[in-house]
Amino acid sequence: MSASESLQAEDAYFASNAPPKQLAAHTALAEAFISQHAAANRRVVLVTSGGTTVPLEKNTVRFIDNFSAGTRGATSAEYFLSAGYAVIFLHRQFSLLPYSRHYSHSTDCLLDLLEEDSDGRVAVRPSDSDRILDVLRKYQSARRNNMLLLLPFVTIGDYLHELRAVARLMAPLGSSGLLYLAAAVSDFFVPPERLSEHKIQSTNIVEKLYPQDAPSPSPQIEDEETFDNFDASPRVPRSKRLIIDLDPVPKFLKSLVEGWAPLGMIVSFKLETDPRILVHKARYSLERYQHHLVIGNLLSTRKWEVVFVAPNREDQWLRVARHGGWGDAEGRPLRPDEVPEGDPEQEIEALIIPAVAKLHDDHIAKSSSAERK
Ligand code: PAZ
């Protein structure tokens, strides 16, 4: 696709998919946040996190979703804060958040860490106090210093509008802006003109009650016995099935790199389930969009190993300790001496973020030396 064609696809997408209601409020918050930290000469990172939904109805009852709980994004945000970055956390509503993730329903339920003391007051169990205190201090410091801005999204459309708005606001930061795109973004969606207004029905009740509203010809008004020419021997008549027809979501990484935040450092993630194609897909993405780093990860091992794929350097695997099951990029098991030892509690983001920050240092240095020439 030529540059003008991709610009047209971008304009058409944003013109036909309405922005989220909170966009103006979020943009104002992000603008104030960025200017506060730019004035203090602080680096700002946009972390995207969690999965986007694809609504099947305008009044949405059903939607397509994905597995991401936002662990990568929330954990990364904490390590960026520890590294001195101000963090804009663009996340799926109700997904994991920095700091509070430690006490979410699926890890430690907060209530299990509390007890009633002899005066009938709620207290933290002494055995858990130290670890809670550590998280609490970091959380309170981030809040006190306004280092963390939380911006929620739900749908793929919301996400893209928010991403474009925040990325554009970050453009004036130049090379000191970092975009770290860990959200699991849907590749397919139902365009608004094909979205049902109301909840999709499994019967033809609407057509029966309001025949004047029935689209013509309507698959929904066929009755059960209607001949089905879709399969040779259908188990369920076609009129009873829900067939979802999805369009591809335009690839916005190109717009991000070339238009929205052209000087910032852009890090994308690539998720695969087939180890044989991970590195190839990551390299392909890097070459196609010409950004700065793709971090590849596999669904089954994403908490223990990732691969950095960047221009003009060897692929670099980062690994933390865990029990067995290691594989290389081609799916072959690692030799025992290649399997890292160490603290099984260590989070892989403790390795990812310093490595990204180092590449960001290099990116800034390279941009300043190019400016001087
Ligand atoms: O949320 P999570 O920690 O369970 O998963 C993180 C992840 C796998 C979604 C992320 O690391 C990632 O790869 N994001 C990009 C996914 C994609 O290829 O669109």
Side-chain angles (χ1 to χ4, degrees):
M1 202 188 264
S2 71
S4 82
E5 280 168 343
S6 57
L7 205 60
Q8 270 175 8
E10 177 188 327
D11 289 346
Y13 179 88
F14 285 108
S16 59
N17 289 276
K21 287 196 192 67
Q22 331 79 317
L23 185 64
H26 285 178
T27 308
L29 287 171
E31 193 167 12
F33 185 85
I34 291 166
S35 53
Q36 177 198 332
H37 294 293
N41 234 345
R42 193 170 290 121
R43 290 186 191 178
V44 178
V45 60
L46 169 66
V47 175
T48 72
S49 182
T52 58
T53 69
V54 175
L56 300 182
E57 297 128 345
K58 285 187 187 153
N59 290 284
T60 309
V61 174
R62 301 182 184 105
F63 52 86
I64 303 174
D65 204 351
N66 69 57
F67 73 96
S68 171
T71 313
R72 171 83 75 228
T75 313
S76 299
E78 286 180 22
Y79 286 96
F80 276 121
L81 287 160
S82 298
Y85 282 78
V87 176
I88 302 177
F89 191 63
L90 181 58
H91 64 284
R92 165 73 177 278
Q93 184 185 39
F94 308 132
S95 65
L96 294 177
L97 296 177
Y99 306 118
S100 74
R101 75 180 171 101
H102 296 275
Y103 305 107
S104 82
H105 51 283
S106 59
T107 47
D108 277 327
C109 170
L110 187 59
L111 292 178
D112 289 334
L113 308 176
L114 304 177
E115 62 184 18
E116 188 178 337
D117 70 13
S118 49
D119 299 326
R121 280 193 299 243
V122 174
V124 174
R125 281 194 324 217
S127 55
D128 295 304
S129 178
D130 282 355
R131 67 189 174 114
I132 295 188
L133 188 61
D134 184 47
V135 175
L136 181 69
R137 283 187 178 144
K138 288 180 184 159
Y139 169 73
Q140 288 183 333
S141 157
R143 300 258 337 209
R144 206 173 32 250
N145 299 312
N146 192 30
M147 293 291 282
L148 176 61
L149 176 65
L150 303 178
L151 301 179
F153 64 80
V154 178
T155 69
I156 172 72
D158 297 353
Y159 170 79
L160 290 171
H161 274 284
E162 298 266 352
L163 176 65
R164 180 173 72 159
V166 177
R168 282 175 168 170
L169 289 171
M170 287 181 66
L173 297 173
S175 59
S176 70
L178 174 60
L179 293 95
Y180 179 90
L181 310 174
V185 181
S186 173
D187 287 329
F188 300 98
F189 78 121
V190 186
E193 66 277 10
R194 290 212 304 272
L195 269 184
S196 158
E197 180 70 29
H198 292 290
K199 183 184 164 202
I200 298 170
Q201 298 295 315
S202 58
T203 66
N204 56 3
I205 179 75
V206 177
E207 286 81 359
K208 273 191 180 146
L209 292 176
Y210 304 101
Q212 68 280 12
D213 291 350
S216 162
S218 164
Q220 293 195 339
I221 56 171
E222 294 169 11
D223 42 63
E224 217 166 306
E225 286 75 39
T226 305
F227 171 69
D228 188 309
N229 64 354
F230 196 66
D231 281 352
S233 49
R235 275 185 298 126
V236 181
R238 191 177 187 185
S239 58
K240 289 280 177 194
R241 299 181 203 166
L242 175 61
I243 297 167
I244 300 171
D245 186 10
L246 302 169
D247 278 9
V249 173
K251 299 286 182 202
F252 286 111
L253 202 45
K254 198 172 176 58
S255 311
L256 190 64
V257 177
E258 289 175 3
W260 303 346
L263 300 176
M265 174 166 164
I266 297 175
V267 180
S268 71
F269 277 79
K270 172 62 67 191
L271 173 72
E272 291 299 337
T273 55
D274 181 348
R276 295 167 307 169
I277 61 171
L278 177 64
V279 171
H280 305 281
K281 291 279 299 276
R283 177 103 9 231
Y284 175 79
S285 168
L286 192 72
E287 277 158 18
R288 180 163 180 199
Y289 301 112
Q290 298 284 305
H291 55 306
H292 308 99
L293 173 64
V294 179
I295 303 181
N297 54 176
L298 292 167
L299 184 65
S300 54
T301 59
R302 66 190 189 284
K303 295 202 163 112
W304 302 282
E305 61 179 350
V306 299
V307 58
F308 274 34
V309 178
N312 309 320
R313 44 177 265 170
E314 296 258 296
D315 304 335
Q316 182 195 1
W317 284 89
L318 303 182
R319 294 189 167 101
V320 292
R322 69 148 188 167
H323 307 292
W326 292 101
D328 69 7
E330 306 297 328
R332 285 184 294 263
L334 293 187
R335 293 193 315 271
D337 61 308
E338 290 175 322
V339 176
E341 284 175 9
D343 174 9
E345 297 281 299
Q346 188 183 31
E347 295 172 310
I348 184 117
E349 289 77 10
L351 304 185
I352 297 176
I353 304 317
V356 169
K358 166 79 183 63
L359 290 172
H360 193 201
D361 290 342
D362 299 346
H363 175 78
I364 294 171
K366 209 164 125 196
S367 307
S368 339
S369 86
E371 271 164 30
R372 279 197 299 275
K373 279 184 194 153

